[in-house]
Amino acid sequence: MSPKTETKPDFHPNSFIDPMARVFLLEGQYHRGFFPGHAGFYKELLSRPEVLRLQADGKLIDSVIVDHPELPQFGLVVRHSLIETPSFSFEWPFSMLKDAARLTLEIGISLSAQNVILQDATSYNVLFKGPKPIFIDLSSLVPAADNLLWPAYNQFCQCFLFPMYLHVAGKSSAALDLLRCNPDGLEAAETALLLGPVDKVKLKGYFSRLALPEIMASRFNSVRNRDKMNSKSSGLAGKIDLKAARTRFLASLNKTVESLSTPPKASNWTDYYRETDEEVLARKLAAVEKVLMQRRPEHMVDMGCNLGEFSLLAARRGIRVTAIDSDHGCVDRLYNLAKAEPGMDILPLVGNALNPSPDMGWLNREYPSLLKRVKGDLVLGLALLHHLVFSGGQDFARSIAALKAHQKGGLLMEYVDQSDPMTQKLPRRPGVDYSWYSREGFEKALGDAFEQVEFVEELSPTRSLYLAC
């Protein structure tokens, strides 16, 4: 999704909390303007070898110094590279959240030796370009204080570690729901309430990272006690090598993150295509490839991507893909497959076609909805219609509209008949008459929604592909 071209700065609503800089859109590109009091530090920081290495490795956002004399309020302006499809941590499966946490700590460890720290550690500092995480908040990097270990530690736990604990405990849906409702992350107390006794014993680092801090907080929650503790901490800081201690602390936290993993879990749909006729699957892959080669979309959206066979097919032909499915296991598996194969520009997200994330934040402008962020030149809706109807309670028109909302060029959709073996596995809603569910009814609904409808291929007696534009 390319940003709209602006002739004057369009300031990002989230950047007003930043005391160092402002992020804005100008002439179709994102920029960051640093205030005069901070410009010197960031100009020098951008020349440091370690920062240049992180940028060259694609781990820290590219930042090119540019001249904008029409913006006198800034002492330094940099232009950032574009992340086409922003995503947020409440759309990431476990492996994506873990990699974003790893990257945050890697940035912190790499720059600690430079006496630079991260002043905040929110998951919103990280975006994904395909399966690659990139740290985007340059103004989060600040000179290290001489009396603090890492002020962003609590925020890191709330935005990364505590949600990861819920993922590991098999509560992925709760983790994402809480992250969506709480941009500041999960509180320790609410996380502890969701974890069972066995989880608390098994989770590495649970006592030292979550339980003990909560006990200490309850003992030192008065202003007098906090001041006393801060005074003691400041005195201790003068007696140790704080830079070395900070590096050890971040490395220890990274070790905790590395120790966490989700147990293998059978998904409802991980065996979907294993149970589908191999000949039908091969015919579908060939038909989809033919459409891709004819239309050559720059960006494809694969709704209900399942294990991602068609996302991988498109990415291997140089197409950027956003793959969306409500099944956490499928999305996590696709992310790891995309990460392992070079050149796979696939962004896998946990999402629901019938319940896309809404606009959120200040005036609903800080975090745009999934519908606004994800628009494809071609949308795939394969093996999805029957789920939207029988499980989701939709009719043809509403099912088509849910997919059409993500397209700006075309929709490739599969009709799956009521008599199809996979449809037969779906429970029918009691008392609902599905006599309207027919190929003719689907073709009419598709024709009502689009100007042009092309029959692509019959995959089997119960399955057919249609291209609508």
Side-chain angles (χ1 to χ4, degrees):
M1 181 175 62
S2 299
K4 182 177 68 174
T5 299
E6 299 288 345
T7 56
K8 62 181 181 178
D10 179 19
F11 290 96
H12 194 287
N14 208 14
S15 74
F16 282 92
I17 62 174
D18 188 347
M20 313 292 182
R22 294 286 182 269
V23 173
F24 55 90
L25 187 63
L26 181 63
E27 298 173 350
Q29 294 182 298
Y30 283 102
H31 296 71
R32 190 182 302 263
F34 293 96
F35 297 125
H38 306 285
F41 168 75
Y42 287 100
K43 186 174 183 179
E44 187 274 331
L45 180 70
L46 288 171
S47 69
R48 295 190 189 186
E50 188 62 21
V51 170
L52 294 173
R53 181 191 67 79
L54 288 169
Q55 289 182 327
D57 291 344
K59 296 177 179 179
L60 181 63
I61 192 76
D62 289 342
S63 305
V64 178
I65 297 176
V66 292
D67 185 26
H68 275 292
E70 72 277 17
L71 301 173
Q73 67 268 45
F74 300 123
L76 175 71
V77 177
V78 299
R79 184 179 66 244
H80 292 313
S81 57
L82 178 67
I83 309 295
E84 292 91 348
T85 305
S87 62
F88 306 128
S89 56
F90 53 78
E91 299 163 333
W92 301 343
F94 171 79
S95 295
M96 289 179 73
L97 184 64
K98 182 174 181 177
D99 282 351
R102 284 167 162 166
L103 176 63
T104 300
L105 293 174
E106 181 181 349
I107 298 288
I109 293 170
S110 297
L111 296 179
S112 179
Q114 308 283 318
N115 219 29
V116 173
I117 63 168
L118 295 173
Q119 67 173 337
D120 56 72
T122 172
S123 58
Y124 293 97
N125 285 346
V126 179
L127 291 179
F128 279 80
K129 191 174 180 65
K132 186 176 180 62
I134 301 175
F135 192 90
I136 64 166
D137 190 6
L138 190 63
S139 52
S140 177
L141 306 176
V142 298
D146 58 6
N147 63 343
L148 294 174
L149 194 60
W150 191 34
Y153 171 64
N154 189 54
Q155 188 177 47
F156 179 88
C157 289
Q158 291 179 327
C159 293
F160 289 107
L161 191 60
F162 297 164
M164 289 175 67
Y165 281 161
L166 293 183
H167 277 289
V168 173
K171 297 175 172 63
S172 292
S173 293
L176 298 199
D177 288 343
L178 287 170
L179 283 172
R180 183 161 74 171
C181 296
N182 301 280
D184 293 329
L186 280 59
E187 296 289 343
E190 66 185 359
T191 304
L193 286 173
L194 290 168
L195 296 172
V198 176
D199 298 324
K200 295 173 181 179
V201 172
K202 289 184 176 181
L203 283 170
K204 294 182 180 179
Y206 170 81
F207 181 75
S208 60
R209 304 290 183 189
L210 193 154
L212 183 59
E214 277 295 284
I215 295 172
M216 297 296 290
S218 65
R219 292 189 59 187
F220 299 102
N221 59 359
S222 71
V223 173
R224 180 180 177 184
N225 284 335
R226 283 201 304 270
D227 289 344
K228 187 184 297 184
M229 288 298 293
N230 287 338
S231 176
K232 289 181 179 180
S233 298
S234 298
L236 181 63
K239 300 175 183 179
I240 65 173
D241 182 346
L242 197 60
K243 187 189 298 183
R246 184 181 298 114
T247 300
R248 289 194 299 271
F249 177 78
L250 293 173
S252 172
L253 184 54
N254 188 61
K255 190 173 181 179
T256 298
V257 169
E258 290 289 355
S259 72
L260 299 176
S261 61
T262 53
K265 182 180 178 182
S267 161
N268 290 332
W269 306 111
T270 49
D271 291 328
Y272 184 89
Y273 282 112
R274 294 188 185 94
E275 298 177 17
T276 301
D277 187 286
E278 290 186 6
E279 184 179 343
V280 173
L281 175 58
R283 193 175 296 134
K284 189 191 298 189
L285 284 165
V288 171
E289 181 175 22
K290 183 178 179 181
V291 171
L292 292 177
M293 293 300 96
Q294 288 175 344
R295 299 191 66 84
R296 299 193 178 277
E298 291 184 10
H299 179 210
M300 186 187 85
V301 179
D302 189 357
M303 294 296 297
C305 63
N306 197 260
L307 297 180
E309 283 91 344
F310 302 96
S311 293
L312 293 165
L313 173 71
R316 286 169 183 148
R317 282 141 188 83
I319 298 169
R320 179 168 66 89
V321 178
T322 301
I324 301 173
D325 202 287
S326 60
D327 191 299
H328 294 251
C330 287
V331 178
D332 198 79
R333 182 179 182 275
L334 177 56
Y335 170 72
N336 285 301
L337 286 173
K339 189 172 68 168
E341 186 173 338
M344 292 292 96
D345 194 352
I346 300 175
L347 177 66
L349 301 176
V350 177
N352 189 330
L354 299 181
N355 186 28
S357 63
D359 294 327
M360 298 187 301
W362 178 79
L363 295 181
N364 283 349
R365 291 185 57 206
E366 289 183 87
Y367 311 110
S369 70
L370 188 70
L371 290 176
K372 289 181 179 176
R373 287 178 284 121
V374 179
K375 298 284 188 182
D377 305 304
L378 180 68
V379 172
L380 262 60
L382 306 179
L384 184 59
L385 177 67
H386 49 315
H387 294 287
L388 297 178
V389 171
F390 297 111
S391 300
Q394 307 302 305
D395 60 14
F396 287 145
R398 288 169 63 93
S399 299
I400 292 167
L403 303 183
K404 184 182 179 183
H406 288 283
Q407 67 85 37
K408 56 180 181 179
L411 170 63
L412 182 62
M413 196 166 182
E414 180 178 6
Y415 171 75
V416 184
D417 195 72
Q418 284 200 65
S419 60
D420 186 88
M422 301 306 289
T423 307
Q424 292 295 312
K425 291 186 176 185
L426 298 176
R428 304 296 195 268
R429 299 196 172 202
V432 177
D433 178 12
Y434 290 104
S435 60
W436 52 267
Y437 191 106
S438 67
R439 184 189 300 269
E440 293 74 22
F442 173 73
E443 290 175 347
K444 182 182 184 305
L446 203 57
D448 290 342
F450 290 89
E451 293 183 3
Q452 298 179 359
V453 176
E454 174 189 344
F455 176 80
V456 176
E457 186 170 336
E458 182 175 283
L459 305 172
S460 76
T462 60
R463 290 177 178 246
S464 298
L465 282 183
Y466 293 82
L467 177 63
C469 306

